[in-house]
Amino acid sequence: MFDLILEMFSYSFIIRAVIVGIMVSLCSALLGVPLVLKRYSMIGDGLSHVGFGALAVASAMNTAPLKIAIPIVVLAAFLLLRISNNSKIKGDSAIAVISTGSLAIGVIILSVSKGMNTDIYNYLFGSILAMSTEDVLLSVILSLVVLLIFILFYHRIFSVTLDETFAKATGIKVNVYNMILAALTAVTVVLGMRMMGAMLISALIIFPDVSSMNISYTYKGVTFFAIIISIFSLISGICVSYIFSLPTGASIVTINLLIYIVCSMIKRRN
Amino acid sequence: MQIIKCENITLSYNKEKIVKDLSFDVIDGEYICIIGENGTGKSTLVKAILGLVNPESGKIKYSGVKQNEIGYISQTSAIADNFPASVYEIVLSGCLNRKVFMPFYSKKDKEKADYYINHLELDEIKKKTFSSLSGGQKQRVLLARALCATKKVLLLDEPTASLDPVATKEFYEIIYDLNRQHNITIITVSHDIDNSLKYADRIINLSKDSFKIYRPDELITKGDKNNV
Ligand SMILES: Nc1ncnc2c1ncn2[C@@H]1O[C@H](COP(=O)(O)OP(=O)(O)OP(=O)(O)O)[C@@H](O)[C@H]1O
Ligand SMILES: [Mg+2]
């Protein structure tokens, strides 16, 4: 088994996946805390479907996927944020309309342009082989930017997540921080999508955070454990998927699920 | 000096007028009590002063006070049950509003938070999670946060509703002390007529379709305290 893991790390595509995976897991674990607490996790899910549509467009046009997908998904994030803040529209169903709509259009574009079902499968459920060296570089740089911005606004995002009314009343620009949060989420979703797939990327945002909320009761603690859980399940998920020849994204999510079950049992005990 | 000027404001929800044509000034260092029956628009008035609801007509003007110099305690806490945050994290977040470029808390911010935590006797529960506290403890945490955010004005919406008599008395004393010693303008909503009369410089009495503004002594000399 140890030999197998050593062998695994001799493949450069695995190294690439691990590097990008760690960066994306870090970002998604951090962003997940405010997103889950603000009940914005639907936005993450919606964005991944929009991202699928955008990647399909990029692939049909034979252009670099990230350069097309990131601006589209960031715009979609602002739109979804507006919808979910505007109580007059039925937020949930509007988000569902946008996300399933993009998914359907993406599937049609992919099947018309390439006619290959494996592409659709890879976009939906992720592929560890998807990343080129250039992609890795761009992904690492973008995740570093996301991390930096998140850390700089960490306390303000906390305040806006905790109590928007108080924040607004005391002069904090709530909308600005909500938009920052939405944009960072959009970038993270796109970066993680090709490895995790459109169907599974939002799990990376939600699972580590709901798990850690079972074992910690301070914001800092929840953030800390979310990071640990996220990175642990990423690395062990990649190992499991290699050893048993299972799809990578699904393996990572399954490990997250197991951790979630363990964490909720720990909570029950206390 | 007038720091807040409300000129003929009308407040409404979906065209239903709640407060009609109200005008008053708030003078620097004043202690104002807003009283009135349930549903007469006290909370709505406070929210309008904070800019959380826009008046249908009329104007609210600030002079010499900025939005980020105001502290606030809302009538019902907007903090979700089970929100994972410690008392210290919440109190400290009150310091954020006047930080412009600095992303992290300074030593001064932490000292300020610790000062109010100590002042409000929250030391023992400083590390506890907010959702595990009693109603009165929560209220004191929210006051500490509001005090961290306050530089000139403090708006309180029924702050003593969940406090026991001893804590209520202490609460009023703390507020009064801030008002007199630190010249913080207080605008508070209260159903507690006795304490309002004792501490307030002026009282705004809202009722359905009308309002009265007076000084406590005017009320006492007229002897119609019971008609408030
Ligand atoms: N968000 C809202 N949407 C529609 N109507 C509202 C809203 N908030 C308050 N109202 C209505 O406005 C009126 C005034 O409400 P407000 O909360 O200001 O009363 P209040 O004087 O603070 O009462 P209480 O003593 O019960 O706190 C009420 O009739 C209420 O039904
Ligand atoms: Mg009220």
Side-chain angles (χ1 to χ4, degrees), chain A residues 12 20 23 32 34 47 50 53 89 99 114 125 135-136 139-140 147 169 171 179 212-213 228-229 243 251 254 268:
Chain A
S12 58
V20 173
M23 295 307 288
L47 288 181
V50 175
I89 307 175
S99 71
K114 295 275 168 76
F125 299 105
D135 284 344
V136 173
S139 304
V140 169
L147 285 177
M179 281 174 79
S212 73
M213 275 167 214
I228 305 274
I229 293 170
I243 294 167
S251 308
T254 308
R268 283 267 173 83

PDB file of all heavy atoms in Angstrom, chain A residues 12 20 23 32 34 47 50 53 89 99 114 125 135-136 139-140 147 169 171 179 212-213 228-229 243 251 254 268:
ATOM      1  N   SER A  12       3.096  12.768 -12.821  1.00  0.00           N
ATOM      2  CA  SER A  12       3.015  14.225 -12.703  1.00  0.00           C
ATOM      3  C   SER A  12       1.546  14.698 -12.689  1.00  0.00           C
ATOM      4  O   SER A  12       1.231  15.706 -12.076  1.00  0.00           O
ATOM      5  CB  SER A  12       3.791  14.904 -13.820  1.00  0.00           C
ATOM      6  OG  SER A  12       3.283  14.498 -15.062  1.00  0.00           O
ATOM      7  N   VAL A  20      -3.301  21.609  -7.149  1.00  0.00           N
ATOM      8  CA  VAL A  20      -4.509  22.417  -7.378  1.00  0.00           C
ATOM      9  C   VAL A  20      -5.578  22.067  -6.344  1.00  0.00           C
ATOM     10  O   VAL A  20      -6.250  22.945  -5.795  1.00  0.00           O
ATOM     11  CB  VAL A  20      -5.045  22.209  -8.815  1.00  0.00           C
ATOM     12  CG1 VAL A  20      -6.382  22.920  -8.992  1.00  0.00           C
ATOM     13  CG2 VAL A  20      -4.041  22.714  -9.813  1.00  0.00           C
ATOM     14  N   MET A  23      -5.019  23.781  -2.996  1.00  0.00           N
ATOM     15  CA  MET A  23      -5.341  25.206  -3.054  1.00  0.00           C
ATOM     16  C   MET A  23      -6.862  25.422  -3.077  1.00  0.00           C
ATOM     17  O   MET A  23      -7.398  26.258  -2.349  1.00  0.00           O
ATOM     18  CB  MET A  23      -4.722  25.847  -4.311  1.00  0.00           C
ATOM     19  CG  MET A  23      -3.215  25.857  -4.351  1.00  0.00           C
ATOM     20  SD  MET A  23      -2.470  26.570  -2.884  1.00  0.00           S
ATOM     21  CE  MET A  23      -2.864  28.290  -3.112  1.00  0.00           C
ATOM     22  N   GLY A  32     -16.596  28.461   2.613  1.00  0.00           N
ATOM     23  CA  GLY A  32     -17.762  27.682   3.027  1.00  0.00           C
ATOM     24  C   GLY A  32     -18.347  28.150   4.342  1.00  0.00           C
ATOM     25  O   GLY A  32     -19.566  28.121   4.523  1.00  0.00           O
ATOM     26  N   PRO A  34     -18.709  31.266   5.871  1.00  0.00           N
ATOM     27  CA  PRO A  34     -19.762  32.277   5.716  1.00  0.00           C
ATOM     28  C   PRO A  34     -20.884  31.844   4.778  1.00  0.00           C
ATOM     29  O   PRO A  34     -22.052  32.181   5.022  1.00  0.00           O
ATOM     30  CB  PRO A  34     -19.023  33.496   5.158  1.00  0.00           C
ATOM     31  CG  PRO A  34     -17.722  33.001   4.662  1.00  0.00           C
ATOM     32  CD  PRO A  34     -17.387  31.787   5.463  1.00  0.00           C
ATOM     33  N   LEU A  47     -23.779  28.129  -9.056  1.00  0.00           N
ATOM     34  CA  LEU A  47     -22.608  28.573  -9.810  1.00  0.00           C
ATOM     35  C   LEU A  47     -21.913  27.421 -10.515  1.00  0.00           C
ATOM     36  O   LEU A  47     -21.394  27.585 -11.618  1.00  0.00           O
ATOM     37  CB  LEU A  47     -21.612  29.258  -8.875  1.00  0.00           C
ATOM     38  CG  LEU A  47     -22.029  30.620  -8.364  1.00  0.00           C
ATOM     39  CD1 LEU A  47     -20.949  31.197  -7.479  1.00  0.00           C
ATOM     40  CD2 LEU A  47     -22.316  31.542  -9.526  1.00  0.00           C
ATOM     41  N   VAL A  50     -23.716  26.836 -13.701  1.00  0.00           N
ATOM     42  CA  VAL A  50     -23.395  27.886 -14.666  1.00  0.00           C
ATOM     43  C   VAL A  50     -21.982  27.649 -15.203  1.00  0.00           C
ATOM     44  O   VAL A  50     -21.721  27.794 -16.399  1.00  0.00           O
ATOM     45  CB  VAL A  50     -23.505  29.280 -14.017  1.00  0.00           C
ATOM     46  CG1 VAL A  50     -23.063  30.359 -14.982  1.00  0.00           C
ATOM     47  CG2 VAL A  50     -24.927  29.540 -13.553  1.00  0.00           C
ATOM     48  N   GLY A  53     -21.941  25.154 -17.956  1.00  0.00           N
ATOM     49  CA  GLY A  53     -22.345  25.754 -19.227  1.00  0.00           C
ATOM     50  C   GLY A  53     -21.206  26.550 -19.840  1.00  0.00           C
ATOM     51  O   GLY A  53     -20.920  26.447 -21.038  1.00  0.00           O
ATOM     52  N   ILE A  89     -38.682  38.070  -5.086  1.00  0.00           N
ATOM     53  CA  ILE A  89     -38.663  36.951  -6.030  1.00  0.00           C
ATOM     54  C   ILE A  89     -38.474  35.689  -5.201  1.00  0.00           C
ATOM     55  O   ILE A  89     -37.786  35.699  -4.198  1.00  0.00           O
ATOM     56  CB  ILE A  89     -37.494  37.089  -7.012  1.00  0.00           C
ATOM     57  CG1 ILE A  89     -37.529  38.468  -7.674  1.00  0.00           C
ATOM     58  CG2 ILE A  89     -37.544  36.002  -8.064  1.00  0.00           C
ATOM     59  CD1 ILE A  89     -36.340  38.721  -8.567  1.00  0.00           C
ATOM     60  N   SER A  99     -29.629  27.619 -12.755  1.00  0.00           N
ATOM     61  CA  SER A  99     -28.616  26.568 -12.738  1.00  0.00           C
ATOM     62  C   SER A  99     -28.992  25.396 -13.630  1.00  0.00           C
ATOM     63  O   SER A  99     -28.175  24.931 -14.417  1.00  0.00           O
ATOM     64  CB  SER A  99     -28.319  26.131 -11.299  1.00  0.00           C
ATOM     65  OG  SER A  99     -29.392  25.432 -10.778  1.00  0.00           O
ATOM     66  N   LYS A 114     -18.942  18.356 -29.930  1.00  0.00           N
ATOM     67  CA  LYS A 114     -17.964  17.275 -29.875  1.00  0.00           C
ATOM     68  C   LYS A 114     -18.603  15.912 -30.145  1.00  0.00           C
ATOM     69  O   LYS A 114     -17.967  15.012 -30.644  1.00  0.00           O
ATOM     70  CB  LYS A 114     -17.304  17.236 -28.489  1.00  0.00           C
ATOM     71  CG  LYS A 114     -16.475  18.476 -28.178  1.00  0.00           C
ATOM     72  CD  LYS A 114     -15.076  18.338 -28.751  1.00  0.00           C
ATOM     73  CE  LYS A 114     -14.334  19.664 -28.723  1.00  0.00           C
ATOM     74  NZ  LYS A 114     -13.854  20.020 -27.409  1.00  0.00           N
ATOM     75  N   PHE A 125     -18.670  15.041 -13.639  1.00  0.00           N
ATOM     76  CA  PHE A 125     -18.167  14.348 -12.452  1.00  0.00           C
ATOM     77  C   PHE A 125     -16.673  14.521 -12.220  1.00  0.00           C
ATOM     78  O   PHE A 125     -16.105  13.943 -11.308  1.00  0.00           O
ATOM     79  CB  PHE A 125     -18.546  12.870 -12.524  1.00  0.00           C
ATOM     80  CG  PHE A 125     -20.024  12.681 -12.562  1.00  0.00           C
ATOM     81  CD1 PHE A 125     -20.660  12.336 -13.732  1.00  0.00           C
ATOM     82  CD2 PHE A 125     -20.787  12.923 -11.423  1.00  0.00           C
ATOM     83  CE1 PHE A 125     -22.045  12.205 -13.774  1.00  0.00           C
ATOM     84  CE2 PHE A 125     -22.160  12.798 -11.462  1.00  0.00           C
ATOM     85  CZ  PHE A 125     -22.791  12.434 -12.643  1.00  0.00           C
ATOM     86  N   ASP A 135      -2.651  25.300 -16.807  1.00  0.00           N
ATOM     87  CA  ASP A 135      -3.832  25.370 -15.937  1.00  0.00           C
ATOM     88  C   ASP A 135      -3.430  25.404 -14.469  1.00  0.00           C
ATOM     89  O   ASP A 135      -3.986  26.147 -13.674  1.00  0.00           O
ATOM     90  CB  ASP A 135      -4.730  24.145 -16.148  1.00  0.00           C
ATOM     91  CG  ASP A 135      -5.514  24.250 -17.441  1.00  0.00           C
ATOM     92  OD1 ASP A 135      -5.594  25.365 -17.982  1.00  0.00           O
ATOM     93  OD2 ASP A 135      -6.026  23.211 -17.896  1.00  0.00           O
ATOM     94  N   VAL A 136      -2.465  24.549 -14.141  1.00  0.00           N
ATOM     95  CA  VAL A 136      -2.036  24.458 -12.745  1.00  0.00           C
ATOM     96  C   VAL A 136      -1.497  25.797 -12.281  1.00  0.00           C
ATOM     97  O   VAL A 136      -1.872  26.304 -11.217  1.00  0.00           O
ATOM     98  CB  VAL A 136      -0.963  23.363 -12.573  1.00  0.00           C
ATOM     99  CG1 VAL A 136      -0.389  23.392 -11.162  1.00  0.00           C
ATOM    100  CG2 VAL A 136      -1.551  22.002 -12.871  1.00  0.00           C
ATOM    101  N   SER A 139      -4.290  28.255 -11.922  1.00  0.00           N
ATOM    102  CA  SER A 139      -5.121  27.909 -10.773  1.00  0.00           C
ATOM    103  C   SER A 139      -4.455  28.291  -9.465  1.00  0.00           C
ATOM    104  O   SER A 139      -5.102  28.812  -8.552  1.00  0.00           O
ATOM    105  CB  SER A 139      -5.421  26.406 -10.744  1.00  0.00           C
ATOM    106  OG  SER A 139      -6.017  26.008 -11.932  1.00  0.00           O
ATOM    107  N   VAL A 140      -3.157  28.015  -9.367  1.00  0.00           N
ATOM    108  CA  VAL A 140      -2.449  28.325  -8.124  1.00  0.00           C
ATOM    109  C   VAL A 140      -2.439  29.835  -7.896  1.00  0.00           C
ATOM    110  O   VAL A 140      -2.726  30.314  -6.785  1.00  0.00           O
ATOM    111  CB  VAL A 140      -1.015  27.753  -8.136  1.00  0.00           C
ATOM    112  CG1 VAL A 140      -0.202  28.290  -6.971  1.00  0.00           C
ATOM    113  CG2 VAL A 140      -1.065  26.238  -8.092  1.00  0.00           C
ATOM    114  N   LEU A 147      -7.314  33.546  -1.628  1.00  0.00           N
ATOM    115  CA  LEU A 147      -6.924  33.414  -0.223  1.00  0.00           C
ATOM    116  C   LEU A 147      -6.548  34.758   0.366  1.00  0.00           C
ATOM    117  O   LEU A 147      -6.973  35.116   1.468  1.00  0.00           O
ATOM    118  CB  LEU A 147      -5.729  32.464  -0.088  1.00  0.00           C
ATOM    119  CG  LEU A 147      -6.028  30.978  -0.255  1.00  0.00           C
ATOM    120  CD1 LEU A 147      -4.744  30.172  -0.164  1.00  0.00           C
ATOM    121  CD2 LEU A 147      -6.998  30.534   0.825  1.00  0.00           C
ATOM    122  N   ALA A 169     -26.160  49.029  10.028  1.00  0.00           N
ATOM    123  CA  ALA A 169     -26.519  50.151  10.885  1.00  0.00           C
ATOM    124  C   ALA A 169     -25.288  50.898  11.365  1.00  0.00           C
ATOM    125  O   ALA A 169     -25.333  52.102  11.586  1.00  0.00           O
ATOM    126  CB  ALA A 169     -27.330  49.658  12.077  1.00  0.00           C
ATOM    127  N   GLY A 171     -22.454  51.232   9.739  1.00  0.00           N
ATOM    128  CA  GLY A 171     -21.648  51.825   8.682  1.00  0.00           C
ATOM    129  C   GLY A 171     -20.710  50.888   7.951  1.00  0.00           C
ATOM    130  O   GLY A 171     -19.759  51.338   7.330  1.00  0.00           O
ATOM    131  N   MET A 179     -20.670  40.992  -2.177  1.00  0.00           N
ATOM    132  CA  MET A 179     -20.221  40.818  -3.555  1.00  0.00           C
ATOM    133  C   MET A 179     -18.828  40.211  -3.610  1.00  0.00           C
ATOM    134  O   MET A 179     -18.539  39.369  -4.458  1.00  0.00           O
ATOM    135  CB  MET A 179     -20.269  42.150  -4.305  1.00  0.00           C
ATOM    136  CG  MET A 179     -21.681  42.478  -4.754  1.00  0.00           C
ATOM    137  SD  MET A 179     -21.828  44.089  -5.495  1.00  0.00           S
ATOM    138  CE  MET A 179     -21.188  43.785  -7.130  1.00  0.00           C
ATOM    139  N   SER A 212     -17.338  20.626  10.544  1.00  0.00           N
ATOM    140  CA  SER A 212     -16.604  21.272  11.633  1.00  0.00           C
ATOM    141  C   SER A 212     -17.540  22.045  12.557  1.00  0.00           C
ATOM    142  O   SER A 212     -17.215  22.263  13.714  1.00  0.00           O
ATOM    143  CB  SER A 212     -15.483  22.148  11.094  1.00  0.00           C
ATOM    144  OG  SER A 212     -15.993  23.297  10.508  1.00  0.00           O
ATOM    145  N   MET A 213     -18.719  22.430  12.065  1.00  0.00           N
ATOM    146  CA  MET A 213     -19.664  23.089  12.959  1.00  0.00           C
ATOM    147  C   MET A 213     -20.188  22.138  14.033  1.00  0.00           C
ATOM    148  O   MET A 213     -20.759  22.571  15.028  1.00  0.00           O
ATOM    149  CB  MET A 213     -20.835  23.678  12.165  1.00  0.00           C
ATOM    150  CG  MET A 213     -20.505  25.057  11.634  1.00  0.00           C
ATOM    151  SD  MET A 213     -21.680  25.601  10.422  1.00  0.00           S
ATOM    152  CE  MET A 213     -20.613  26.538   9.339  1.00  0.00           C
ATOM    153  N   ILE A 228      -8.672  21.798   7.963  1.00  0.00           N
ATOM    154  CA  ILE A 228      -8.051  20.486   8.205  1.00  0.00           C
ATOM    155  C   ILE A 228      -8.859  19.382   7.518  1.00  0.00           C
ATOM    156  O   ILE A 228      -8.326  18.543   6.797  1.00  0.00           O
ATOM    157  CB  ILE A 228      -8.014  20.185   9.728  1.00  0.00           C
ATOM    158  CG1 ILE A 228      -7.309  21.304  10.479  1.00  0.00           C
ATOM    159  CG2 ILE A 228      -7.404  18.815   9.988  1.00  0.00           C
ATOM    160  CD1 ILE A 228      -5.836  21.179  10.560  1.00  0.00           C
ATOM    161  N   ILE A 229     -10.170  19.394   7.740  1.00  0.00           N
ATOM    162  CA  ILE A 229     -11.027  18.348   7.169  1.00  0.00           C
ATOM    163  C   ILE A 229     -10.966  18.385   5.651  1.00  0.00           C
ATOM    164  O   ILE A 229     -10.842  17.356   4.982  1.00  0.00           O
ATOM    165  CB  ILE A 229     -12.488  18.527   7.646  1.00  0.00           C
ATOM    166  CG1 ILE A 229     -12.595  18.261   9.152  1.00  0.00           C
ATOM    167  CG2 ILE A 229     -13.430  17.615   6.875  1.00  0.00           C
ATOM    168  CD1 ILE A 229     -13.930  18.644   9.759  1.00  0.00           C
ATOM    169  N   ILE A 243      -5.821   4.005  -5.602  1.00  0.00           N
ATOM    170  CA  ILE A 243      -5.642   2.611  -5.195  1.00  0.00           C
ATOM    171  C   ILE A 243      -6.773   1.721  -5.709  1.00  0.00           C
ATOM    172  O   ILE A 243      -6.545   0.626  -6.209  1.00  0.00           O
ATOM    173  CB  ILE A 243      -5.537   2.528  -3.651  1.00  0.00           C
ATOM    174  CG1 ILE A 243      -4.262   3.240  -3.199  1.00  0.00           C
ATOM    175  CG2 ILE A 243      -5.532   1.083  -3.179  1.00  0.00           C
ATOM    176  CD1 ILE A 243      -4.195   3.497  -1.716  1.00  0.00           C
ATOM    177  N   SER A 251     -14.742  10.118  -4.834  1.00  0.00           N
ATOM    178  CA  SER A 251     -14.018   9.578  -3.672  1.00  0.00           C
ATOM    179  C   SER A 251     -13.824  10.657  -2.605  1.00  0.00           C
ATOM    180  O   SER A 251     -14.005  10.407  -1.410  1.00  0.00           O
ATOM    181  CB  SER A 251     -12.633   9.066  -4.083  1.00  0.00           C
ATOM    182  OG  SER A 251     -12.747   8.188  -5.158  1.00  0.00           O
ATOM    183  N   THR A 254     -17.062  11.285  -0.879  1.00  0.00           N
ATOM    184  CA  THR A 254     -17.446  10.181   0.009  1.00  0.00           C
ATOM    185  C   THR A 254     -16.674  10.243   1.321  1.00  0.00           C
ATOM    186  O   THR A 254     -17.233  10.036   2.398  1.00  0.00           O
ATOM    187  CB  THR A 254     -17.210   8.830  -0.689  1.00  0.00           C
ATOM    188  OG1 THR A 254     -17.844   8.872  -1.955  1.00  0.00           O
ATOM    189  CG2 THR A 254     -17.793   7.685   0.118  1.00  0.00           C
ATOM    190  N   ARG A 268     -23.289  14.309  19.059  1.00  0.00           N
ATOM    191  CA  ARG A 268     -24.288  13.578  19.840  1.00  0.00           C
ATOM    192  C   ARG A 268     -23.758  13.201  21.221  1.00  0.00           C
ATOM    193  O   ARG A 268     -24.450  13.288  22.217  1.00  0.00           O
ATOM    194  CB  ARG A 268     -24.666  12.274  19.117  1.00  0.00           C
ATOM    195  CG  ARG A 268     -25.588  12.469  17.961  1.00  0.00           C
ATOM    196  CD  ARG A 268     -27.039  12.322  18.403  1.00  0.00           C
ATOM    197  NE  ARG A 268     -27.938  12.676  17.339  1.00  0.00           N
ATOM    198  CZ  ARG A 268     -28.295  11.827  16.373  1.00  0.00           C
ATOM    199  NH1 ARG A 268     -27.848  10.586  16.392  1.00  0.00           N
ATOM    200  NH2 ARG A 268     -29.087  12.224  15.418  1.00  0.00           N
TER     201      ARG A 268
END
